[in-house]
Amino acid sequence: MPFILFDFGGTLDGPGTPWLERFHGIYRAEGLDFARERFSQAFYRSDDELASRFSLRGLSLAETLELQVQCVLEILAPEKIGLKSRLAGLFLEECRRHFRGNRPILERLSRRHGLGIVSNFYGNLRSVLDSEGLLSFFQCVADSGALGMEKPQPGIFLEALKGLKAAPEETFMVGDSVARDMRGAENLGLKHVLLSPSKKTRCCPQGLRIERLDELEAVLP
């Protein structure tokens, strides 16, 4: 049976949509209608600086999200910093809705396959997964913040394969980013499955595409 590597953000906690897009929608719905480019700059700056500004070791998903939102608001609207818990809470609620939907899939897959995660995260992904009751499904967690390398660099995928004791040709990569997940997997000879609700998003002739994670089992051998 093949091994399966998953992306985390957008794949396990969402519908195949990156954090940036989902967060921007939440900010706008709460009356913080920042221009897309301005919001993107603040969002990625928060991402880049989070691990250097705060001690993230052992933090839960809820705690991590609140810090991420705090940093964005400090840049864009410091007078609205009191909204950080609400904004982070709305995002967390959405994540947990997807976790509930994906849990039965992970339970079934973990009985038949070795599962792992390859994620560009902040270094505390293991504690984030543990806080949401998901860590036990995965035999390895390759977190860019902990390893000092990011997707699509081959090293982070190789660390995950080493943790699974798996060869590239017997492993699937499932993720929502063509540039990071699909290209990184393709360069190492991993089979790859793009999670995207949009039929316009394509990977390559060899890549598979699913619109929802519950379609994954149907495309696996």
Side-chain angles (χ1 to χ4, degrees), residues 78-153:
E79 73 281 4
K80 300 290 187 180
I81 201 74
L83 290 175
K84 68 176 183 178
S85 295
R86 174 164 176 76
L87 294 167
L90 289 169
F91 192 89
L92 179 63
E93 182 181 313
E94 180 184 308
C95 291
R96 286 177 171 168
R97 185 170 69 251
H98 288 283
F99 291 152
R100 287 193 295 272
N102 291 334
R103 182 179 296 276
I105 303 162
L106 294 174
E107 288 176 343
R108 290 194 299 270
L109 289 173
S110 66
R111 291 196 291 266
R112 303 193 301 272
H113 307 276
L115 306 184
I117 290 184
V118 182
S119 177
N120 288 353
F121 207 71
Y122 306 114
N124 65 320
L125 185 53
R126 291 188 67 88
S127 62
V128 162
L129 292 166
D130 195 31
S131 72
E132 299 300 319
L134 299 173
L135 184 59
S136 62
F137 294 126
F138 303 101
Q139 295 178 16
C140 70
V141 177
D143 177 346
S144 66
L147 294 172
M149 57 185 88
E150 294 185 342
K151 296 180 294 185
Q153 293 174 329

Side-chain angles (χ1 to χ4, degrees), residues 173-206:
M173 176 68 204
V174 182
D176 66 303
S177 169
V178 173
R180 293 184 295 274
D181 301 318
M182 302 299 100
R183 291 294 173 260
E186 186 180 16
N187 289 340
L188 285 173
L190 279 73
K191 303 175 182 68
H192 40 292
V193 182
L194 177 66
L195 172 64
S196 174
S198 172
K199 293 181 179 180
K200 295 180 181 179
T201 307
R202 296 291 177 184
C203 172
C204 63
Q206 294 76 33

